[in-house]
């Protein structure tokens, strides 16, 4: 399960960072979080939160104990 959480965190992190970069370079591109209210600021904050959540989930899963190895 440790690696599932790690992969999920890294996917969220990648989507968040990509969204922030694209939104800063092209204000008209709404992307995945285009449904959020608030225009540019709301979408920008949403991507920042997505990035932080992905980084936190990946860091948390990295600290989980290693799975038991069977012989």
């Amino acid at each position: 399960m440790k690696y599932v959480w790690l992969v999920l965190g890294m996917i969220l992190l990648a989507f968040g960072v990509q969204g922030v970069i694209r939104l800063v370079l092209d204000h008209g591109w709404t992307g995945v979080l285009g449904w959020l209210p608030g225009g540019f600021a709301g979408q920008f904050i949403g991507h920042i939160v997505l990035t932080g959540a992905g980084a936190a989930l990946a860091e948390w899963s990295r600290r989980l104990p290693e799975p038991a190895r069977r012989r």
Side-chain angles (χ1 to χ4, degrees):
M1 241 359 237
K2 171 182 180 166
Y3 299 113
V4 172
W5 292 116
L6 180 64
V7 168
L8 182 63
M10 294 305 292
I11 289 171
L12 288 175
L13 180 67
F15 273 120
V17 169
Q18 179 188 17
V20 167
I21 292 171
R22 283 183 167 223
L23 198 59
V24 166
L25 294 179
D26 181 14
H27 296 295
W29 180 85
T30 58
V32 178
L33 299 179
W35 55 270
L36 285 175
F40 175 78
Q43 293 167 3
F44 187 74
I45 291 170
H47 279 93
I48 295 292
V49 168
L50 189 65
T51 301
L57 184 60
E59 177 63 24
W60 171 77
S61 67
R62 188 186 67 83
R63 293 178 185 218
L64 289 175
E66 287 289 325
R69 293 196 172 110
R70 296 181 182 170
R71 292 183 183 195

